[in-house]
């Protein structure tokens, strides 16, 4: 029927510096994306994208960001994401880039994708990890994620991702 | 007696011209302002950049002819960028603090059409 349709861009903040993810702030990131779109697509692009723009979900441990924009202008936002090179917070500049994982029409589809993506990432981490204690922790979270099939996704996201974040530090 | 069946062939001719040509004239509010060709192009690109950003400032735009006395020029732009160029020319207000406006005299996908303008026709 008649409603405003949105596109949700699931992105991952990738950076060499481990302090970069911890200093993620939704307002700072929202402002950064808006400025980049305005720089790249002018006053028209900046205004068009900022109507329905919002940062819907932000996870500082894994660096996962969910951005929302209107369906008519989501390509302007998507094309501006590779031009984000630095994250500025409290005077510190961290070089980083945004990797787009998934574009979905609703938050639910993005969540489903994120659950599958996190499961795959856990298996990759299991292969790459060296410490025995970390290995056991990851194995435990892998078995938990396989058993809890129908649980709401938030638990899995937080449990799996925190262990993964510790393992990667 | 049945008529022999004729074979028909349908030819669809979509306009294949990939460029559009615009004849424009720049008017200043005060007299005595001159621009050379490079400054004129810089003005066009800054107008595009202002409204549509760096992506559209890089559109393949060419100035085919430029007359410094009358500040008129013939521009060539790819067809997908025509609307953006025209709207950014419309919204351009000033050059180095001096008020100016672009007058679009003629637009055509064929360069030959710009050689004669029926509006400027003088009837004896």
């Amino acid at each position: 029927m008649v409603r405003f349709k949105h596109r949700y861009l699931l992105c991952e903040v990738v950076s060499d510096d481990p302090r970069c993810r911890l200093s993620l702030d939704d307002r700072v990131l929202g402002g950064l994306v808006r400025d980049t779109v305005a720089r790249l697509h002018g006053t028209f692009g900046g205004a068009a994208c900022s109507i329905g723009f919002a940062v819907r979900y932000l996870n500082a441990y894994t660096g996962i960001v969910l951005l929302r924009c209107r369906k008519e202008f989501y390509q302007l936002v998507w094309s501006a994401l590779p031009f984000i090179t630095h994250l500025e917070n409290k005077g510190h500049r961290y070089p980083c880039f945004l990797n787009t994982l998934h574009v979905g029409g609703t938050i639910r589809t993005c969540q489903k994708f994120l659950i599958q993506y996190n499961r795959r990432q856990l298996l990759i981490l299991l292969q790459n990890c060296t410490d025995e204690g970390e290995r056991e922790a990851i194995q435990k979270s892998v078995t938990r994620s396989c058993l809890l099939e129908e649980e709401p996704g938030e638990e899995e996201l937080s449990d799996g991702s925190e262990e993964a974040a510790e393992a990667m530090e | 007696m049945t008529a022999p069946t004729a074979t028909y062939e349908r030819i669809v001719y979509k306009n294949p011209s990939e460029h559009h040509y615009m004849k424009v004239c720049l008017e200043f509010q005060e007299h005595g302002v001159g621009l050379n060709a490079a400054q004129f192009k810089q003005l066009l690109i800054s107008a595009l950049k202002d409204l549509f950003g760096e992506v559209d400032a890089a559109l393949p735009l060419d100035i085919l002819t430029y007359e410094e006395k009358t500040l008129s020029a013939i521009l060539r732009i790819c067809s997908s960028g025509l609307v953006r160029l025209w709207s950014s020319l419309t919204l351009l207000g000033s050059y180095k603090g001096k008020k100016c406006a672009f007058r679009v005299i003629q637009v055509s996908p064929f360069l030959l059409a710009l050689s004669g303008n029926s509006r400027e026709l003088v009837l004896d």
Side-chain angles (χ1 to χ4, degrees):
Chain A
M1 273 308 292
V2 183
R3 65 183 172 109
F4 285 119
K5 297 196 177 170
H6 299 280
R7 286 285 175 262
Y8 291 87
L9 296 167
L10 190 69
C11 314
E12 184 189 359
V13 178
V14 177
S15 166
D16 287 332
D17 200 347
R19 295 170 296 171
C20 174
R21 283 194 194 156
L22 296 171
S23 66
L24 272 180
D25 181 30
D26 58 342
R27 262 167 298 173
V28 166
L29 192 70
L32 181 65
V33 174
R34 260 181 246 240
D35 287 338
T36 312
V37 173
R39 176 169 56 106
L40 207 65
H41 295 290
T43 43
F44 169 73
C49 296
S50 56
I51 296 177
F53 181 76
V55 178
R56 272 309 190 200
Y57 172 76
L58 182 66
N59 190 333
Y61 295 111
T62 53
I64 300 279
V65 179
L66 187 67
L67 304 168
R68 178 190 73 173
C69 48
R70 286 281 161 94
K71 180 179 159 189
E72 291 87 19
F73 302 111
Y74 80 100
Q75 285 148 339
L76 296 179
V77 176
W78 199 357
S79 60
L81 292 181
F83 289 84
I84 296 178
T85 50
H86 290 94
L87 200 69
E88 290 226 20
N89 195 7
K90 294 184 206 112
H92 293 286
R93 283 191 107 183
Y94 305 112
C96 66
F97 68 91
L98 285 182
N99 192 18
T100 308
L101 303 173
H102 184 63
V103 178
T106 56
I107 298 187
R108 194 172 300 182
T109 56
C110 289
Q111 194 180 51
K112 278 190 208 166
F113 176 83
L114 190 59
I115 294 170
Q116 289 172 359
Y117 179 77
N118 279 350
R119 281 202 192 122
R120 271 181 268 143
Q121 290 294 100
L122 278 178
L123 293 174
I124 293 171
L125 279 175
L126 189 60
Q127 281 179 342
N128 295 347
C129 77
T130 49
D131 191 18
E132 263 311 306
E134 284 177 10
R135 188 179 282 271
E136 282 178 22
I138 295 181
Q139 275 177 341
K140 203 171 59 165
S141 47
V142 166
T143 43
R144 265 161 66 195
S145 72
C146 294
L147 289 174
L148 298 168
E149 282 286 326
E150 298 304 316
E151 288 292 315
E154 288 305 320
E155 293 181 34
E156 294 189 56
L157 289 177
S158 51
D159 290 345
S161 56
E162 279 171 24
E163 316 236 352
E166 287 166 19
M168 285 195 278
E169 298 270 339
Chain B
M1 207 165 118
T2 54
T5 52
T7 52
Y8 292 101
E9 193 183 318
R10 197 178 104 161
I11 301 176
V12 175
Y13 182 67
K14 291 186 193 165
N15 181 14
S17 121
E18 35 180 83
H19 297 287
H20 268 76
Y21 301 88
M22 290 176 81
K23 194 174 194 179
V24 298
C25 170
L26 180 58
E27 263 183 36
F28 277 93
Q29 200 181 40
E30 51 198 45
H31 299 283
V33 187
L35 279 90
N36 62 17
Q39 289 170 329
F40 191 78
K41 182 149 192 194
Q42 160 68 18
L43 180 62
L44 293 175
I45 292 184
S46 67
L48 271 173
K49 194 171 187 171
D50 202 14
L51 189 57
F52 289 108
E54 296 191 3
V55 167
D56 282 328
L59 279 177
L61 164 71
D62 300 308
I63 302 184
L64 299 178
T65 61
Y66 178 66
E67 280 168 49
E68 201 170 324
K69 288 207 189 92
T70 52
L71 290 175
S72 65
I74 295 187
L75 312 173
R76 181 181 75 164
I77 183 106
C78 59
S79 300
S80 56
L82 173 71
V83 173
R84 296 181 207 180
L85 176 66
W86 202 339
S87 54
S88 58
L89 289 181
T90 307
L91 292 176
L92 181 71
S94 64
Y95 169 68
K96 283 189 185 167
K98 295 171 208 148
K99 288 198 184 170
C100 64
F102 266 98
R103 308 284 180 218
V104 175
I105 301 170
Q106 225 179 338
V107 178
S108 167
F110 308 109
L111 189 53
L112 193 57
L114 296 183
S115 63
N117 191 2
S118 60
R119 288 184 187 180
E120 290 162 8
L121 199 59
V122 173
L123 296 171
D124 293 327

